[in-house]
Amino acid sequence: MKVHVPPIKSQGIKTKLVPWIQNIAPKKTQALWVEPFMGTGVVAFNIAPKQALLCDTNPHLIRFYQAIANGEITPDQVRTFLNAEGSKLLEKGESHYYEIRERFNNHHQPLDFLFLNRAGFNGMIRFNRKGEFNIPFCRKPQRFAQAYITKIVNQIDYVARLLKTKSFTFKCQPFEITIAEAESDSIIYCDPPYIDRHTDYYNGWGDEQERSLHQLLSNTDSQFILSTWHHNDFRQNQYINLLWNQFNVLTREHFYHVGGSEKNRNPMIEAIITNYTVFDRVCHEPTKPQQLTLLEL
């Protein structure tokens, strides 16, 4: 399948895992697709259900996609904006990036958010405790070449056309509220911040949040899919054993593009956890609950 890359990037984006997630997702065409942690939107925009509730606690992500949905942001506007700001970036260098960053932190305009996301270091999204975007410049003044701008415009165009034909609702709210709004025949896809991996995406994520998510998903009448990390070469996700191994667990290697240098960007074994039996056509066998031990890793 062709995977459509969204206009917003983030660390840990699931672009390469979309075919796997789509393969194991329940085939219920009328079901409400619910994402309490929509992030970039890459999964929902490729699954493309008829109706979806897409939520996040990051108001800038929600505001950005709401602006596309209501026509406030159009592909032509994006091209004009990035041409203008890209030319200034080429002329002035990184000082222009930090001017845009300060402007965004004062006024929170969606197009400034797009600019920062695509010109910031390693495509990261991170905010400090004051709620200010604090990713440094990527050190590439020539960032917005015409080919790159066209790629972003095409990504905006795909999302805009999709939202015209689907019933997608975007809300800025905590995951607890979103899961409570799911209907009994909904499909809930959860991609929370990875426990013990990175916690400064917008809100912190720790033991309390992981356990709360586990309790809510254990009690839901909906079918759910949870993305998390399983292990890497150095350690394992202890919460697989502590919480999630009562459900079905599938694993797959995924190169994880997070880290200040390439030597810190290592393969990660990803886990997909479901509360329903999955027949993975790639593995050719149904999944079963798995118990991890250190010896197995």
Side-chain angles (χ1 to χ4, degrees):
M1 65 172 288
K2 178 181 179 180
V3 176
H4 296 275
V5 179
I8 297 296
K9 298 173 63 178
S10 78
Q11 46 191 323
I13 189 170
K14 295 299 184 293
T15 305
K16 294 183 178 180
L17 298 181
V18 163
W20 185 33
I21 296 169
Q22 186 175 50
N23 179 48
I24 65 177
K27 305 302 185 285
K28 300 192 295 187
T29 58
Q30 301 301 321
L32 176 67
W33 181 270
V34 178
E35 293 195 17
F37 313 88
M38 77 161 287
T40 66
V42 65
V43 174
F45 296 151
N46 280 279
I47 297 291
K50 291 185 178 179
Q51 52 179 342
L53 173 62
L54 305 180
C55 306
D56 205 283
T57 54
N58 186 330
H60 311 297
L61 285 167
I62 298 300
R63 189 177 298 117
F64 179 80
Y65 285 119
Q66 285 176 334
I68 296 177
N70 64 28
E72 178 185 342
I73 289 179
T74 67
D76 287 342
Q77 288 173 327
V78 170
R79 185 181 296 279
T80 299
F81 175 83
L82 292 182
N83 273 323
E85 299 299 344
S87 295
K88 294 177 184 177
L89 182 67
L90 185 61
E91 176 186 353
K92 299 168 65 176
E94 68 179 86
S95 66
H96 186 63
Y97 173 86
Y98 290 109
E99 288 175 14
I100 299 295
R101 195 175 77 171
E102 182 177 1
R103 186 172 76 188
F104 170 75
N105 285 330
N106 287 329
H107 303 290
H108 306 140
Q109 292 301 310
L111 287 179
D112 284 345
F113 180 59
L114 175 65
F115 174 92
L116 294 172
N117 178 250
R118 303 308 290 253
F121 177 74
N122 203 28
M124 296 175 68
I125 296 177
R126 187 183 66 202
F127 295 82
N128 61 25
R129 293 184 179 182
K130 295 180 180 180
E132 297 171 332
F133 188 87
N134 64 357
I135 294 297
F137 182 48
C138 69
R139 306 282 183 181
K140 297 179 181 178
Q142 73 281 12
R143 184 64 165 170
F144 293 101
Q146 284 302 309
Y148 192 60
I149 291 175
T150 296
K151 180 183 293 186
I152 297 171
V153 169
N154 289 341
Q155 292 165 354
I156 295 284
D157 182 63
Y158 171 77
V159 174
R161 288 187 287 107
L162 177 71
L163 296 181
K164 287 180 180 179
T165 63
K166 307 291 184 178
S167 178
F168 280 22
T169 300
F170 300 93
K171 291 184 179 181
C172 181
Q173 62 188 24
F175 70 90
E176 296 93 340
I177 295 176
T178 303
I179 293 175
E181 291 183 5
E183 302 164 358
S184 60
D185 62 344
S186 297
I187 303 168
I188 304 174
Y189 172 66
C190 290
D191 184 20
Y194 281 7
I195 187 78
D196 294 335
R197 293 294 301 171
H198 49 78
T199 59
D200 49 4
Y201 153 76
Y202 194 78
N203 296 112
W205 189 268
D207 180 83
E208 180 181 351
Q209 290 78 20
E210 189 83 3
R211 290 181 183 276
S212 177
L213 179 61
H214 172 263
Q215 181 176 4
L216 290 169
L217 293 182
S218 296
N219 294 332
T220 186
D221 292 328
S222 303
Q223 292 177 303
F224 75 76
I225 305 166
L226 170 70
S227 289
T228 189
W229 70 287
H230 191 279
H231 70 274
N232 60 19
D233 290 341
F234 308 102
R235 59 197 177 109
Q236 70 179 69
N237 179 356
Q238 62 177 324
Y239 289 89
I240 299 292
N241 267 337
L242 287 175
L243 302 177
W244 298 110
N245 65 3
Q246 72 188 87
F247 300 110
N248 301 313
V249 182
L250 292 86
T251 58
R252 181 164 301 182
E253 184 175 274
H254 178 212
F255 191 82
Y256 201 65
H257 294 273
V258 176
S261 62
E262 288 193 13
K263 68 179 181 180
N264 293 326
R265 302 172 193 172
N266 300 302
M268 172 77 72
I269 302 301
E270 297 276 347
I272 292 290
I273 299 168
T274 72
N275 63 344
Y276 58 91
T277 300
V278 174
F279 186 85
D280 188 343
R281 287 187 292 272
V282 175
C283 297
H284 302 292
E285 61 182 21
T287 66
K288 299 177 181 179
Q290 298 178 2
Q291 182 75 25
L292 287 176
T293 68
L294 286 174
L295 290 176
E296 290 173 343
L297 297 176

